[in-house]
PDB file of all heavy atoms in Angstrom:
ATOM      1  N   LYS A 607     130.271 154.830  71.091  1.00 97.00           N
ATOM      2  CA  LYS A 607     130.086 153.693  70.240  1.00 97.00           C
ATOM      3  C   LYS A 607     128.533 153.498  70.036  1.00 97.00           C
ATOM      4  O   LYS A 607     128.032 153.130  68.946  1.00 97.00           O
ATOM      5  CB  LYS A 607     130.738 152.448  70.853  1.00 97.00           C
ATOM      6  CG  LYS A 607     132.125 152.469  70.742  1.00 97.00           C
ATOM      7  CD  LYS A 607     132.696 151.183  71.416  1.00 97.00           C
ATOM      8  CE  LYS A 607     134.187 151.186  71.519  1.00 97.00           C
ATOM      9  NZ  LYS A 607     134.693 149.940  72.122  1.00 97.00           N
ATOM     10  N   VAL A 608     127.820 153.636  71.147  1.00 97.00           N
ATOM     11  CA  VAL A 608     126.431 153.443  71.235  1.00 97.00           C
ATOM     12  C   VAL A 608     125.737 154.460  70.185  1.00 97.00           C
ATOM     13  O   VAL A 608     124.843 154.115  69.496  1.00 97.00           O
ATOM     14  CB  VAL A 608     125.803 153.517  72.574  1.00 97.00           C
ATOM     15  CG1 VAL A 608     124.349 153.582  72.610  1.00 97.00           C
ATOM     16  CG2 VAL A 608     126.189 152.305  73.426  1.00 97.00           C
ATOM     17  N   ALA A 609     126.182 155.732  70.255  1.00 97.00           N
ATOM     18  CA  ALA A 609     125.616 156.658  69.433  1.00 97.00           C
ATOM     19  C   ALA A 609     125.892 156.428  67.970  1.00 97.00           C
ATOM     20  O   ALA A 609     124.990 156.534  67.044  1.00 97.00           O
ATOM     21  CB  ALA A 609     126.249 157.998  69.698  1.00 97.00           C
ATOM     22  N   ALA A 610     127.067 155.846  67.596  1.00 97.00           N
ATOM     23  CA  ALA A 610     127.389 155.441  66.220  1.00 97.00           C
ATOM     24  C   ALA A 610     126.482 154.285  65.822  1.00 97.00           C
ATOM     25  O   ALA A 610     126.007 154.260  64.621  1.00 97.00           O
ATOM     26  CB  ALA A 610     128.780 155.004  66.094  1.00 97.00           C
ATOM     27  N   ARG A 611     126.223 153.369  66.751  1.00 97.00           N
ATOM     28  CA  ARG A 611     125.260 152.242  66.455  1.00 97.00           C
ATOM     29  C   ARG A 611     123.820 152.700  66.217  1.00 97.00           C
ATOM     30  O   ARG A 611     123.203 152.290  65.259  1.00 97.00           O
ATOM     31  CB  ARG A 611     125.354 151.237  67.411  1.00 97.00           C
ATOM     32  CG  ARG A 611     126.731 150.477  67.467  1.00 97.00           C
ATOM     33  CD  ARG A 611     126.658 149.384  68.512  1.00 97.00           C
ATOM     34  NE  ARG A 611     127.966 148.862  68.744  1.00 97.00           N
ATOM     35  CZ  ARG A 611     128.685 148.953  69.882  1.00 97.00           C
ATOM     36  NH1 ARG A 611     128.102 149.506  70.946  1.00 97.00           N
ATOM     37  NH2 ARG A 611     129.953 148.572  70.054  1.00 97.00           N
ATOM     38  N   HIS A 612     123.514 153.764  66.868  1.00 98.00           N
ATOM     39  CA  HIS A 612     122.030 154.313  66.713  1.00 98.00           C
ATOM     40  C   HIS A 612     121.950 154.976  65.348  1.00 98.00           C
ATOM     41  O   HIS A 612     121.023 154.812  64.563  1.00 98.00           O
ATOM     42  CB  HIS A 612     121.753 155.285  67.866  1.00 98.00           C
ATOM     43  CG  HIS A 612     121.521 154.583  69.074  1.00 98.00           C
ATOM     44  ND1 HIS A 612     121.053 155.234  70.225  1.00 98.00           N
ATOM     45  CD2 HIS A 612     121.531 153.270  69.557  1.00 98.00           C
ATOM     46  CE1 HIS A 612     120.828 154.475  71.320  1.00 98.00           C
ATOM     47  NE2 HIS A 612     121.160 153.269  70.765  1.00 98.00           N
ATOM     48  N   VAL A 613     123.133 155.685  64.982  1.00 97.00           N
ATOM     49  CA  VAL A 613     123.115 156.366  63.735  1.00 97.00           C
ATOM     50  C   VAL A 613     123.005 155.271  62.462  1.00 97.00           C
ATOM     51  O   VAL A 613     122.242 155.428  61.566  1.00 97.00           O
ATOM     52  CB  VAL A 613     124.307 157.182  63.556  1.00 97.00           C
ATOM     53  CG1 VAL A 613     124.444 157.749  62.019  1.00 97.00           C
ATOM     54  CG2 VAL A 613     124.243 158.437  64.434  1.00 97.00           C
ATOM     55  N   ARG A 614     123.692 154.166  62.778  1.00 97.00           N
ATOM     56  CA  ARG A 614     123.726 153.101  61.825  1.00 97.00           C
ATOM     57  C   ARG A 614     122.338 152.568  61.626  1.00 97.00           C
ATOM     58  O   ARG A 614     121.792 152.344  60.647  1.00 97.00           O
ATOM     59  CB  ARG A 614     124.630 152.023  62.151  1.00 97.00           C
ATOM     60  CG  ARG A 614     124.595 150.784  61.167  1.00 97.00           C
ATOM     61  CD  ARG A 614     125.464 149.603  61.698  1.00 97.00           C
ATOM     62  NE  ARG A 614     124.880 149.160  63.001  1.00 97.00           N
ATOM     63  CZ  ARG A 614     125.501 148.338  63.827  1.00 97.00           C
ATOM     64  NH1 ARG A 614     126.811 147.890  63.391  1.00 97.00           N
ATOM     65  NH2 ARG A 614     125.004 148.041  64.948  1.00 97.00           N
ATOM     66  N   ARG A 615     121.744 152.274  62.857  1.00 98.00           N
ATOM     67  CA  ARG A 615     120.364 151.643  62.809  1.00 98.00           C
ATOM     68  C   ARG A 615     119.324 152.574  62.152  1.00 98.00           C
ATOM     69  O   ARG A 615     118.575 152.160  61.298  1.00 98.00           O
ATOM     70  CB  ARG A 615     119.818 151.492  64.317  1.00 98.00           C
ATOM     71  CG  ARG A 615     118.468 150.812  64.314  1.00 98.00           C
ATOM     72  CD  ARG A 615     117.985 150.824  65.702  1.00 98.00           C
ATOM     73  NE  ARG A 615     117.592 152.318  65.954  1.00 98.00           N
ATOM     74  CZ  ARG A 615     117.831 152.840  67.180  1.00 98.00           C
ATOM     75  NH1 ARG A 615     118.286 152.160  68.205  1.00 98.00           N
ATOM     76  NH2 ARG A 615     117.516 154.079  67.384  1.00 98.00           N
ATOM     77  N   ASP A 616     119.423 153.866  62.387  1.00 97.00           N
ATOM     78  CA  ASP A 616     118.480 154.880  61.647  1.00 97.00           C
ATOM     79  C   ASP A 616     118.765 154.837  60.093  1.00 97.00           C
ATOM     80  O   ASP A 616     117.836 154.962  59.426  1.00 97.00           O
ATOM     81  CB  ASP A 616     118.770 156.285  62.273  1.00 97.00           C
ATOM     82  CG  ASP A 616     118.294 156.452  63.754  1.00 97.00           C
ATOM     83  OD1 ASP A 616     117.572 155.489  64.267  1.00 97.00           O
ATOM     84  OD2 ASP A 616     118.693 157.387  64.388  1.00 97.00           O
ATOM     85  N   GLY A 617     120.066 154.940  59.775  1.00 96.00           N
ATOM     86  CA  GLY A 617     120.357 154.839  58.360  1.00 96.00           C
ATOM     87  C   GLY A 617     119.858 153.619  57.646  1.00 96.00           C
ATOM     88  O   GLY A 617     119.306 153.674  56.586  1.00 96.00           O
ATOM     89  N   MET A 618     120.040 152.499  58.334  1.00 97.00           N
ATOM     90  CA  MET A 618     119.528 151.229  57.827  1.00 97.00           C
ATOM     91  C   MET A 618     118.028 151.180  57.668  1.00 97.00           C
ATOM     92  O   MET A 618     117.414 150.826  56.641  1.00 97.00           O
ATOM     93  CB  MET A 618     119.975 149.948  58.601  1.00 97.00           C
ATOM     94  CG  MET A 618     121.463 149.728  58.672  1.00 97.00           C
ATOM     95  SD  MET A 618     122.057 149.345  57.140  1.00 97.00           S
ATOM     96  CE  MET A 618     123.609 148.528  57.565  1.00 97.00           C
ATOM     97  N   GLU A 619     117.366 151.659  58.731  1.00 97.00           N
ATOM     98  CA  GLU A 619     115.825 151.824  58.653  1.00 97.00           C
ATOM     99  C   GLU A 619     115.382 152.730  57.576  1.00 97.00           C
ATOM    100  O   GLU A 619     114.456 152.419  56.808  1.00 97.00           O
ATOM    101  CB  GLU A 619     115.332 152.336  60.004  1.00 97.00           C
ATOM    102  CG  GLU A 619     115.303 151.237  61.007  1.00 97.00           C
ATOM    103  CD  GLU A 619     114.899 151.874  62.370  1.00 97.00           C
ATOM    104  OE1 GLU A 619     114.618 153.064  62.460  1.00 97.00           O
ATOM    105  OE2 GLU A 619     114.986 151.073  63.354  1.00 97.00           O
ATOM    106  N   HIS A 620     116.098 153.810  57.372  1.00 97.00           N
ATOM    107  CA  HIS A 620     115.809 154.747  56.236  1.00 97.00           C
ATOM    108  C   HIS A 620     115.992 154.055  54.861  1.00 97.00           C
ATOM    109  O   HIS A 620     115.122 154.229  53.956  1.00 97.00           O
ATOM    110  CB  HIS A 620     116.717 156.027  56.321  1.00 97.00           C
ATOM    111  CG  HIS A 620     116.435 156.993  55.241  1.00 97.00           C
ATOM    112  ND1 HIS A 620     115.323 157.807  55.238  1.00 97.00           N
ATOM    113  CD2 HIS A 620     117.118 157.364  54.203  1.00 97.00           C
ATOM    114  CE1 HIS A 620     115.276 158.665  54.156  1.00 97.00           C
ATOM    115  NE2 HIS A 620     116.465 158.281  53.526  1.00 97.00           N
ATOM    116  N   LEU A 621     117.068 153.299  54.758  1.00 96.00           N
ATOM    117  CA  LEU A 621     117.306 152.544  53.438  1.00 96.00           C
ATOM    118  C   LEU A 621     116.222 151.533  53.184  1.00 96.00           C
ATOM    119  O   LEU A 621     115.729 151.402  52.092  1.00 96.00           O
ATOM    120  CB  LEU A 621     118.746 151.972  53.449  1.00 96.00           C
ATOM    121  CG  LEU A 621     119.904 152.808  53.369  1.00 96.00           C
ATOM    122  CD1 LEU A 621     121.222 152.079  53.586  1.00 96.00           C
ATOM    123  CD2 LEU A 621     119.831 153.521  51.939  1.00 96.00           C
ATOM    124  N   SER A 639     123.655 150.102  52.179  1.00 97.00           N
ATOM    125  CA  SER A 639     123.790 149.446  53.576  1.00 97.00           C
ATOM    126  C   SER A 639     125.283 149.052  53.838  1.00 97.00           C
ATOM    127  O   SER A 639     125.750 149.197  55.044  1.00 97.00           O
ATOM    128  CB  SER A 639     122.927 148.128  53.603  1.00 97.00           C
ATOM    129  OG  SER A 639     121.559 148.557  53.536  1.00 97.00           O
ATOM    130  N   VAL A 642     127.134 152.142  54.791  1.00 97.00           N
ATOM    131  CA  VAL A 642     126.767 152.559  56.227  1.00 97.00           C
ATOM    132  C   VAL A 642     127.491 151.669  57.231  1.00 97.00           C
ATOM    133  O   VAL A 642     128.097 152.189  58.188  1.00 97.00           O
ATOM    134  CB  VAL A 642     125.290 152.579  56.424  1.00 97.00           C
ATOM    135  CG1 VAL A 642     124.925 152.732  57.959  1.00 97.00           C
ATOM    136  CG2 VAL A 642     124.571 153.665  55.694  1.00 97.00           C
ATOM    137  N   GLN A 643     127.574 150.412  56.992  1.00 97.00           N
ATOM    138  CA  GLN A 643     128.234 149.481  57.905  1.00 97.00           C
ATOM    139  C   GLN A 643     129.770 149.709  57.918  1.00 97.00           C
ATOM    140  O   GLN A 643     130.389 149.779  58.962  1.00 97.00           O
ATOM    141  CB  GLN A 643     127.983 148.015  57.452  1.00 97.00           C
ATOM    142  CG  GLN A 643     128.612 147.035  58.435  1.00 97.00           C
ATOM    143  CD  GLN A 643     128.026 147.138  59.880  1.00 97.00           C
ATOM    144  OE1 GLN A 643     126.878 147.168  60.090  1.00 97.00           O
ATOM    145  NE2 GLN A 643     128.972 147.126  60.810  1.00 97.00           N
ATOM    146  N   LYS A 644     130.301 149.974  56.760  1.00 98.00           N
ATOM    147  CA  LYS A 644     131.752 150.296  56.708  1.00 98.00           C
ATOM    148  C   LYS A 644     132.051 151.535  57.430  1.00 98.00           C
ATOM    149  O   LYS A 644     133.029 151.639  58.257  1.00 98.00           O
ATOM    150  CB  LYS A 644     132.179 150.333  55.175  1.00 98.00           C
ATOM    151  CG  LYS A 644     133.638 150.695  55.084  1.00 98.00           C
ATOM    152  CD  LYS A 644     134.053 150.788  53.605  1.00 98.00           C
ATOM    153  CE  LYS A 644     135.562 151.203  53.525  1.00 98.00           C
ATOM    154  NZ  LYS A 644     135.920 151.435  52.178  1.00 98.00           N
ATOM    155  N   THR A 646     130.422 152.925  59.884  1.00 97.00           N
ATOM    156  CA  THR A 646     130.155 152.629  61.290  1.00 97.00           C
ATOM    157  C   THR A 646     131.416 151.854  61.872  1.00 97.00           C
ATOM    158  O   THR A 646     131.979 152.214  62.953  1.00 97.00           O
ATOM    159  CB  THR A 646     128.905 151.732  61.557  1.00 97.00           C
ATOM    160  OG1 THR A 646     127.865 152.365  61.012  1.00 97.00           O
ATOM    161  CG2 THR A 646     128.740 151.510  63.088  1.00 97.00           C
ATOM    162  N   ASP A 647     131.904 150.870  61.206  1.00 98.00           N
ATOM    163  CA  ASP A 647     133.094 150.142  61.567  1.00 98.00           C
ATOM    164  C   ASP A 647     134.289 151.009  61.722  1.00 98.00           C
ATOM    165  O   ASP A 647     135.026 150.928  62.672  1.00 98.00           O
ATOM    166  CB  ASP A 647     133.379 148.934  60.617  1.00 98.00           C
ATOM    167  CG  ASP A 647     132.279 147.931  60.676  1.00 98.00           C
ATOM    168  OD1 ASP A 647     131.467 147.780  61.630  1.00 98.00           O
ATOM    169  OD2 ASP A 647     132.274 147.045  59.688  1.00 98.00           O
ATOM    170  N   ILE A 650     133.885 153.232  64.889  1.00 97.00           N
ATOM    171  CA  ILE A 650     134.207 152.577  66.125  1.00 97.00           C
ATOM    172  C   ILE A 650     135.616 152.238  66.328  1.00 97.00           C
ATOM    173  O   ILE A 650     136.175 152.363  67.337  1.00 97.00           O
ATOM    174  CB  ILE A 650     133.291 151.282  66.152  1.00 97.00           C
ATOM    175  CG1 ILE A 650     131.790 151.653  66.404  1.00 97.00           C
ATOM    176  CG2 ILE A 650     133.712 150.327  67.277  1.00 97.00           C
ATOM    177  CD1 ILE A 650     130.797 150.589  66.346  1.00 97.00           C
TER     178      ILE A 650
END
Side-chain angles (χ1 to χ4, degrees):
K607 288 180 189 180
V608 169
R611 290 184 193 114
H612 285 187
V613 170
R614 176 189 61 197
R615 184 193 66 219
D616 292 344
M618 294 294 200
E619 287 174 359
H620 181 73
L621 288 170
S639 293
V642 168
Q643 183 62 48
K644 182 180 176 189
T646 303
D647 293 342
I650 290 176

